[in-house]
Amino acid sequence: PTLLVLISGSGSNLQALIDATKSTPPLLSATITHVISNKKAAYGLTRAANAGIPTTYHNLVPYKKKHPTTEAAREAYDRDLAAHILKHKPDMVVCAGWMHILSPTCLGPLQGAGVDIINLHPALPGCFDGAGAIERALEAWERGEIDKTGVMIHHVITAVDRGTPIVVREVPFVEGDTLERVEERIHAVEHVEIVKATRIALDQRRERLEKS
Ligand code: GRF
């Protein structure tokens, strides 16, 4: 099966997926055929290039220049994002550190084409949806509101970070934790869980397709 990975940043989770597909025996029996970033400076683009994986930088700026409102720009951007993705006919899209909400304009065509979409969210289900989840969890812990956080990978639906979880892994806080230490602990967990979740989601897809 083929994967298309969406990134916005360092791509450490993309790297975990690349390494898992290249290990012997492969931890992940899939091929990453394309990587798309919404950020030009995303180091994940370099990681993909180093692994011989073609990349696309999908830039929002031209859309903002062309359209009168931000809404119209994002609508056209999302429509073209779906078209870019469908061009590569992936079995699955993995959002790995992807920091752009996928609107129904993007999700509709993908779901219509039977493409599965999964997303990594560095928090527990229903907690700290959206950006800055790790920092907001640390602040909640410092206020004594929670005693642990976690990582989940879920199926993508239009409600942000609210799809059915595939894997969930709790991550403890440690006395005197700083943002850097929590991020480091969470990223180490992400790198394991994203491979596990992608494998499970591909197995679910294969079972679904065999039944249909
Ligand atoms: C991860 O916590 C991801 O969920 C968040 O950015 C962090 C690093 O992602 N969006 P990556 O290194 O770009 O994979």
Side-chain angles (χ1 to χ4, degrees), residues 7-14 47 96-99 120-122 134 186-187 190-191:
I7 60 164
S8 300
S10 70
S12 66
N13 285 284
L14 166 65
R47 294 179 193 267
W98 171 255
M99 302 304 285
L120 163 67
H121 182 59
I134 300 174
I186 283 187
H187 293 334
E190 287 176 332
H191 300 158

Side-chain angles (χ1 to χ4, degrees), residues 36-198:
I36 297 178
S37 174
N38 66 325
K39 294 290 178 196
K40 190 181 181 70
Y43 184 64
L45 289 170
T46 303
R47 294 179 193 267
N50 291 343
I53 301 168
T55 63
T56 299
Y57 162 47
H58 190 38
N59 183 4
L60 180 60
V61 171
Y63 294 86
K64 286 192 167 172
K65 289 202 178 93
K66 187 174 169 203
H67 295 271
T69 64
T70 308
E71 291 73 21
R74 286 185 66 101
E75 176 101 11
Y77 178 90
D78 280 10
R79 189 176 306 109
D80 285 355
L81 176 60
H84 281 311
I85 292 169
L86 289 175
K87 217 171 22 186
H88 302 289
K89 298 189 182 336
D91 291 297
M92 184 174 295
V93 172
V94 182
C95 300
W98 171 255
M99 302 304 285
H100 174 91
I101 292 174
L102 295 175
S103 67
T105 306
C106 179
L107 293 177
L110 296 179
Q111 289 157 343
V115 177
D116 283 291
I117 310 159
I118 67 175
N119 176 55
L120 163 67
H121 182 59
L124 292 173
C127 300
F128 310 111
D129 297 345
I134 300 174
E135 186 155 18
R136 287 184 286 141
L138 176 59
E139 287 162 359
W141 173 69
E142 286 167 341
R143 291 194 300 268
E145 291 164 6
I146 57 173
D147 60 3
K148 59 182 177 299
T149 184
V151 167
M152 75 154 166
I153 292 91
H154 61 93
H155 291 287
V156 170
I157 58 171
T158 44
V160 177
D161 293 329
R162 288 280 166 165
T164 308
I166 300 163
V167 295
V168 179
R169 178 94 163 274
E170 291 181 354
V171 175
F173 288 105
V174 173
E175 198 47 52
D177 252 343
T178 61
L179 180 59
E180 290 70 30
R181 285 180 54 185
V182 179
E183 280 178 338
E184 195 178 323
R185 196 173 310 127
I186 283 187
H187 293 334
V189 170
E190 287 176 332
H191 300 158
V192 171
E193 298 307 308
I194 196 159
V195 172
K196 204 188 297 180
T198 303

